[in-house]
Amino acid sequence: MKMDGGHIVCECLVREGVDYVFGLPGGACLPLYQALPDYPHLKHILVKHEQASAHAADGYARVAERPGVCFATSGPGATNLVTGIANAWMDSIPMVAITGEVSTNLIGRDGFQEADITGITLPITKHNWLVLKTEDLPRVIKEAFHVARTGRPGPVLIDIPRDVLATEAEFYYPEKVTLRGYKPYPKIDLVEVKTAAKLIMESERPLIMAGHGVILSRAYSELRELAEKTQIPVITTLLGISSFPGSHPLCLGMPGMHGMYWNNMAINSSDLILGIGMRFDDRVTGRLRDFAPKAKIVHIDIDPAEVGKNVRPAAAIVADVKQALRELVKEVSPRIRAEWFAQIQAWREEHPSITIRETSKLLPQYVIRKIFEATKGDCYVVTGVGQHQMWAAQNFWFDKPNSFITSGGLGTMGFEIPAAIGVQFARPNDLVWSICGDGGFQMTLQNLATIAEHNLPIKFAIMNNSFLGMVRQWQTLFYEGKLVATPLCNPDFVKLAEAYGILGIRVKDKVQVESAVEKAMRHKGPVIIDFQVEGEENVFPMVPPGASLSATMDLPKLEEAFIR
Amino acid sequence: MNNKHTIIAFVEDKPGVLNRIASKWRQRGFNIESLAVGISETPGLSRMTFVVDGATTDVDQVVKQLKKLINVIKIVDITDEDMVSRELALIKVSANPPARSQIIEIVDIFRAGIVDVSKDSLIVEITGDEEKVNAIVELLQPFGIKEMVRTGKVSMLRGGQVSASLDEEEPVITD
């Protein structure tokens, strides 16, 4: 059947099982938008800035476990996507971004709203395509979804000139993808599995470090089986949080820059680190040359390029995490390591790391703890980036798999609003809490209009300390308290909520926290709670930037906490 | 210590592919010393030979990162293989009549050729490995090199073995 490029794109998306598309129209992609009413199952969610369409697609993809889709027009529409695509790239999120482009006769001539978006996104996509013929659209879209979701997932971009969208061609959706140079699933090396198992069995002080790859591979039960069978404690990286039950006795929580003191000490003493679906990021390792000085590394990752990139493993299983763990678990047997557990327990008791100090002041950690208690952890938690993100990672226990949605690699402030939109659309019947900073909240808040439009019942908890808090913390700790460009002059967030027709609640006192959280959860629609928290609270433990994990500064004693 | 690695890659002959490869080099800070690209024996595939200094660049990462590019069909580090390597240079040398015979003598010794003659200059064509080309350049320098162009190194395995068959791995296809 003959149809124009816009209809062809929609037909392909329907065949790929897409139900939501996040976007904002413009001239170059109009032929695509004009086709949308003919596809009622393809629901378009209008955001107020293209960055939000990418983050919403990202949040959607994380919980729906399939590629998120976003649309933007050419030029500024496409460039506004860039932050969101880079975010998805760093966190390996499957995403298909579709941008309109100026007509083929204008490409390369600096046409109105022309930007070389395939050139711009080259380093932040798995692959991208500029489609010059309408008849190529089905093949390219099929390839794009295949590349985005297979192997190590990631974002892709399809740039489609206006005339290609407007021209008619015969529609035929290919059944197969042929990409000779794309080998997403390396063949597992069973000899390496045996070597890895031997190293694990020989170790006295082993640790599992579970990362995002466990979640992307949906290998929750395999990880649990391995940990329980071998009795090896599990550290979860920031993006590995919720890959393993937070309340499990073997779960040790987060390592690294704001990780638990006991984890950083354990890494220093460990003789074997089993990294699963993680990439030894600098926030995890601290100063790389001092990382795990006594440990042999066993690395499991689907991406061969991650192996040996930051640390040299003694054994490496290059495979999908689920498959690797299924093979590995066959080769290992239980072993009791009482001394090692006692040592970790001793560190925990000496340095509890996440004790919330007794005070009448409103502490952000306390607020997050109360949200945890009220929800019993049965919700999705979306965060932005900064202090509130670290406090959420530390003070919430995630038993529900894949329930912590955060911007890890790129560290994108402003993620918390649009990503929550995507999460809520993907899980309409689940509770979504977005824990926000007052700085990041203001980076994407125009999208509150989208939340109001769809009456998405997201609960926003702003940890409002009137600072760009994490930067302020660095200035306090490492720049003699010289606060440059970090104090914020904030709007009235309650009035702001009301301007959008959203319920706004202000909380200034500790005693109001529980009732505010309960009120928010009873309310059927979206809520914004402005928690006016203690301004200069710092996130501890902390490894100073560039230092090794052994330099972990633990929570200061009560009296020290008040000294600036 | 010579730590130069010779890498060959078979890449799809499509617009923008060289840009994708160069973008990876730039993004990851890989230092590429020479590059030669041309068509291969297989229609639709270009063959690249490039040289990386292992002292400044993690060669393993170069190969692995480029392998991830969809347009890169095959990439192998052939440094440790038995191979033939050549590069070609065209050198325009100042050649007044008294100097001319000396230049011709050098060209003969190197089994190079003279491909253009004018009243005050010659173009010398030389093919050989990097050392040989360097040596003739050094000897021609005193006469005055007006212009020089060198291709990057191209390499091929000796004997019956075919470069494209190296390191063949079976991909697992699932979706």
Side-chain angles (χ1 to χ4, degrees), chain B residues 24-130:
Chain B
K24 271 285 181 238
W25 289 342
R26 179 196 52 74
Q27 179 203 353
R28 303 261 172 199
F30 299 149
N31 207 356
I32 304 304
E33 300 209 334
S34 85
L35 164 68
V37 200
I39 58 169
S40 72
E41 71 282 1
T42 313
L45 283 192
S46 296
R47 176 173 173 142
M48 300 174 67
T49 310
F50 58 94
V51 178
V52 185
D53 184 359
T56 55
T57 296
D58 182 345
V59 181
D60 186 46
Q61 275 291 304
V62 174
V63 173
K64 284 172 165 178
Q65 293 291 350
L66 291 189
K67 202 178 257 179
K68 283 165 70 168
L69 294 175
I70 285 164
N71 303 116
V72 174
I73 303 300
K74 181 166 219 45
I75 177 166
V76 266
D77 183 348
I78 59 165
T79 311
D80 297 332
E81 308 288 332
D82 190 12
M83 61 176 153
V84 179
S85 292
R86 292 289 180 269
E87 64 178 88
L88 178 137
L90 296 176
I91 308 161
K92 188 176 284 178
V93 198
S94 298
N96 52 23
R100 196 160 287 183
S101 62
Q102 294 175 49
I103 294 171
I104 292 169
E105 204 174 305
I106 293 168
V107 166
D108 284 345
I109 293 168
F110 277 86
R111 290 188 213 162
I114 291 169
V115 291
D116 183 66
V117 185
S118 71
K119 86 178 175 320
D120 56 0
S121 71
L122 299 170
I123 297 179
V124 175
E125 177 196 316
I126 170 105
T127 306
D129 59 20
E130 194 186 358

Side-chain angles (χ1 to χ4, degrees), chain A residues 21-42:
Chain A
V21 171
F22 305 91
L24 201 155
C29 62
L30 262 192
L32 170 57
Y33 271 82
Q34 297 313 109
L36 280 170
D38 296 333
Y39 299 88
H41 295 298
L42 207 55

Side-chain angles (χ1 to χ4, degrees), chain A residues 211-505:
Chain A
H212 198 199
V214 177
I215 291 172
L216 292 169
S217 175
R218 276 74 103 179
Y220 316 110
S221 57
E222 287 80 4
L223 172 62
R224 193 169 171 161
E225 194 187 343
L226 180 79
E228 287 176 350
K229 186 173 178 189
T230 55
Q231 285 297 304
I232 298 178
V234 180
I235 289 174
T236 45
T237 68
L238 179 68
L239 286 180
I241 289 175
S242 77
S243 68
F244 189 75
S247 63
H248 195 288
L250 285 170
C251 188
L252 296 182
M254 190 169 68
M257 183 172 263
H258 293 292
M260 303 301 106
Y261 180 89
W262 60 79
N263 281 338
N264 292 351
M265 295 306 116
I267 288 167
N268 257 324
S269 309
S270 170
D271 63 352
L272 182 112
I273 288 179
L274 171 55
I276 306 176
M278 48 84 74
R279 55 186 173 84
F280 296 97
D281 169 75
D282 56 276
R283 288 297 192 262
V284 161
T285 61
R287 185 162 55 194
L288 193 58
R289 66 166 183 269
D290 302 332
F291 175 71
K294 297 167 189 154
K296 287 181 179 157
I297 309 282
V298 174
H299 196 178
I300 301 177
D301 203 286
I302 195 167
D303 181 355
E306 286 303 337
V307 173
K309 188 183 81 177
N310 293 341
V311 299
R312 291 268 158 214
I317 307 173
V318 180
D320 180 63
V321 166
K322 194 188 259 283
Q323 188 197 9
L325 293 183
R326 277 182 184 166
E327 294 297 337
L328 188 57
V329 82
K330 290 185 211 159
E331 305 288 338
V332 291
S333 49
R335 189 172 156 193
I336 303 298
R337 298 174 179 90
E339 267 179 54
W340 180 227
F341 275 78
Q343 175 63 71
I344 294 171
Q345 192 53 36
W347 282 318
R348 287 183 91 137
E349 281 162 19
E350 260 171 64
H351 295 269
S353 294
I354 45 167
T355 321
I356 300 173
R357 69 172 199 273
E358 285 297 329
T359 170
S360 58
K361 291 181 174 160
L362 181 57
L363 297 184
Q365 305 93 307
Y366 175 84
V367 173
I368 291 165
R369 202 68 77 82
K370 286 293 161 196
I371 294 172
F372 170 69
E373 286 167 11
T375 58
K376 300 181 182 71
D378 186 18
C379 63
Y380 287 94
V381 173
V382 183
T383 80
V385 171
Q387 288 187 312
H388 71 279
Q389 176 191 33
M390 293 298 112
W391 283 316
Q394 293 176 339
N395 290 282
F396 209 97
W397 285 265
F398 295 87
D399 282 348
K400 188 182 164 100
N402 189 21
S403 57
F404 184 53
I405 308 301
T406 196
S407 164
L410 195 67
T412 313
M413 290 170 67
F415 181 73
E416 56 265 61
I417 296 176
I421 295 175
V423 170
Q424 189 72 81
F425 273 111
R427 291 284 180 269
N429 300 318
D430 287 7
L431 177 61
V432 178
W433 273 90
S434 176
I435 296 175
C436 315
D438 46 333
F441 191 82
Q442 294 181 72
M443 288 186 173
T444 49
L445 65 75
Q446 67 277 59
N447 300 292
L448 292 174
T450 301
I451 289 164
E453 179 190 348
H454 297 277
N455 197 31
L456 297 175
I458 304 164
K459 316 303 173 193
F460 291 95
I462 306 175
M463 301 299 122
N464 178 3
N465 54 13
S466 295
F467 279 109
L468 295 167
M470 187 57 93
V471 185
R472 197 275 312 146
Q473 174 168 343
W474 285 40
Q475 291 170 339
T476 300
L477 296 176
F478 310 115
Y479 292 89
E480 293 89 38
K482 197 163 143 193
L483 305 189
V484 184
T486 46
L488 291 177
C489 185
N490 282 335
D492 181 328
F493 287 113
V494 172
K495 279 193 183 159
L496 191 76
E498 285 162 2
Y500 284 103
I502 293 173
L503 175 63
I505 304 172

